[in-house]
Amino acid sequence: MQAFLDVCQEQGISPYQSYSGKFVTRLPKELHQKIAETATAKGISLNQWINETLSREVGFA
């Protein structure tokens, strides 16, 4: 986090901004299929799986 704040300061940009909660990403079809299959196997939506996985990765509870 400190490295991010340092870069923002160096570049003269604000590190804080408002986010909509939506983002678009592109990935290979095969990865999309694997992710969807994994979510389905867990009995959750693709969106929920992505939220849980990203939250776990960044330590967001």
Side-chain angles (χ1 to χ4, degrees), residues 7-61:
V7 170
C8 288
Q9 184 176 7
E10 288 172 10
Q11 295 183 4
I13 58 175
S14 173
Y16 305 104
Q17 58 182 324
S18 176
Y19 292 94
S20 69
K22 298 177 186 180
F23 72 94
V24 176
T25 187
R26 300 192 193 293
L27 48 136
K29 292 185 289 186
E30 297 82 6
L31 178 57
H32 186 173
Q33 178 180 354
K34 191 71 170 174
I35 293 168
E37 290 170 353
T38 301
T40 299
K42 292 179 175 273
I44 59 177
S45 70
L46 180 60
N47 188 67
Q48 186 176 352
W49 184 88
I50 291 169
N51 271 285
E52 289 176 5
T53 302
L54 294 178
S55 294
R56 186 173 52 252
E57 183 64 27
V58 300
F60 183 78

